[in-house]
Structure formats: structure tokens, C-alpha cells
Amino acid sequence: MSGASRWWESAREWVGKLPSGLSREVSVDVGRKRLRLSHARVEALARRALRDVKGLTVGEWTHLPQAYDVRLAVSGWKLRVEVAVERLELAAGRYHLTLRTPGRVDLEESRMASALVQGVMRVGGGRAALRTMLEQVLPEGLGWDGQRLTVAGALPKEGAVSARLFESSSLAVNAEHGAEGVWLSAEAWPGLVDLMQVMLSVELLRKPPETGNG
């Protein structure tokens, strides 16, 4: 048995020993060398990662068959976007998250929305114009090229997924949105079980956040 296969067998055994509540949050596919996180777990992880992005607040989050419908508040204006996790890279002490935007990307009513929408209409409308507007207001670490939303930042100094662990090693994870969660796959998983422990240590939301959107 190869080293990679042993990692995955160990991970599956570890999941099998979890309490039933946690075991429902993750599953391991040894043959295809991938793991699935529940949609609730993905949301909890994303909220924790994005809470450190200055000027950004994550509001309502809805699970759709092919993506997540998410409301974001950024410096006085509001954005509603459908996103699907595509890729996560951990390297050089930083993380880089790529999210596809296959559906809506809309500005919603806010103090600045009217002026922004008028600007978009003046330059012809559409995603290209909206992209131009968002480039001016998105906070540092956030970008949108009209097709994909990217989030980048520094990993924490301490913890199982710390900057220290990924200074000389790297992890690139591809993601696929599924009916019961998001499937994550990679060629190699440094500290696989440790990473899974971190994923399952994040507390799930007990109550949807207040968004004020009605």
C-alpha cells in the first residue's frame, strides 16, 4: 500500500470513530482520494476565513444545487452573489481561495448602490461594467474578474493550519460542488488527519445571521 493510500485509510478509520453528529459532516472516498465536507461545514469554514477580511461582512448564506447564494456587505454597499468553491491553495504562509460565480452577481439596495448602478448603466451595463465598478470598492485580498471571485490572505501564526506549516510545503485542493456537500481532492495532503480535525473543530451556526434584507 502506498503512502498516500495509507493516509486515506487512516482518515477513513478516524472518521469512523467520530461521534455520529460529526461523522455526518465529513466522508472519505479512499479510491478517488478525496473527502466531502457538508454544506454546513463549508459555510462555517468560509465564514471564519472571511471574518478577517477588513471591511467585509458575510450575511445570509443559502445552499443551492450548484452553488451558494451569499449576501455580502462591503463598506456601505451590499452584494448578492452565487458562488461555488473551485480551488484552495496553501503556500508561503498564505491562503488563496478561488470561487466560481456561475450565476447572479448583483448589487442590492444600500447607501452607495444607486450611484454605483448608475455608473454601471452609463458605461453599458453587464458583467464587464460591474467588474470595473467593483474593482474600485472591493477590500484588499478580494478580487473578481467577472467569472471568479478570489480571496487571499495570511494564514494564522498558530494552529493546525498555521503559516509555519506551509512556509516550505504547499497544498493545492480542487473542489466540486455536490448535492450533499463539497468534494475536495488533491495529489497529496500534508497532515491529512490534522487538517480534518481543524475542519471539524469550527463551530456550526446555530442561527442564521441577521441581514436586514427582509
Side-chain angles (χ1 to χ4, degrees):
M1 182 181 291
S2 68
S5 296
R6 285 195 293 271
W7 291 343
W8 287 99
E9 287 290 354
S10 297
R12 182 167 64 178
E13 291 176 5
W14 182 76
V15 170
K17 297 175 182 178
L18 291 172
S20 59
L22 282 179
S23 64
R24 288 193 295 269
E25 299 295 327
V26 60
S27 62
V28 175
D29 181 344
V30 175
R32 297 181 64 179
K33 295 181 174 59
R34 61 180 189 166
L35 65 88
R36 177 182 57 76
L37 291 177
S38 71
H39 289 307
R41 185 61 54 180
V42 171
E43 177 183 353
L45 288 165
R47 286 184 181 278
R48 189 171 81 167
L50 294 175
R51 74 184 181 188
D52 295 326
V53 178
K54 187 177 181 180
L56 174 69
T57 302
V58 180
E60 183 180 348
W61 182 300
T62 304
H63 306 164
L64 302 177
Q66 302 297 327
Y68 298 115
D69 184 353
V70 182
R71 282 184 163 93
L72 306 172
V74 182
S75 303
W77 57 274
K78 297 177 182 179
L79 181 70
R80 184 175 180 181
V81 57
E82 291 179 7
V83 297
V85 183
E86 182 174 77
R87 186 172 174 85
L88 172 65
E89 299 178 22
L90 305 174
R94 296 179 62 81
Y95 70 88
H96 189 280
L97 177 64
T98 304
L99 304 158
R100 290 188 299 108
T101 54
R104 73 162 70 218
V105 179
D106 297 332
L107 286 170
E108 297 193 306
E109 184 60 36
S110 67
R111 293 194 304 269
M112 296 177 64
S114 296
L116 287 169
V117 171
Q118 288 174 10
V120 169
M121 292 176 66
R122 281 198 298 270
V123 296
R127 281 199 168 203
L130 182 58
R131 173 188 173 186
T132 300
M133 301 303 299
L134 292 182
E135 284 178 347
Q136 302 176 40
V137 294
L138 286 176
E140 182 180 358
L142 234 65
W144 185 59
D145 65 3
Q147 300 296 326
R148 288 169 173 80
L149 182 69
T150 57
V151 186
L155 290 168
K157 293 182 179 180
E158 302 295 335
V161 186
S162 65
R164 175 179 53 81
L165 293 178
F166 291 97
E167 287 175 348
S168 58
S169 66
S170 62
L171 173 64
V173 179
N174 294 316
E176 180 181 354
H177 198 96
E180 296 182 353
V182 174
W183 285 101
L184 305 175
S185 60
E187 290 298 319
W189 288 74
L192 175 59
V193 172
D194 289 339
L195 286 171
M196 292 173 68
Q197 288 176 329
V198 172
M199 292 172 179
L200 295 180
S201 69
V202 177
E203 185 175 358
L204 296 179
L205 292 175
R206 297 291 183 265
K207 179 182 178 181
E210 297 295 334
T211 63
N213 289 312

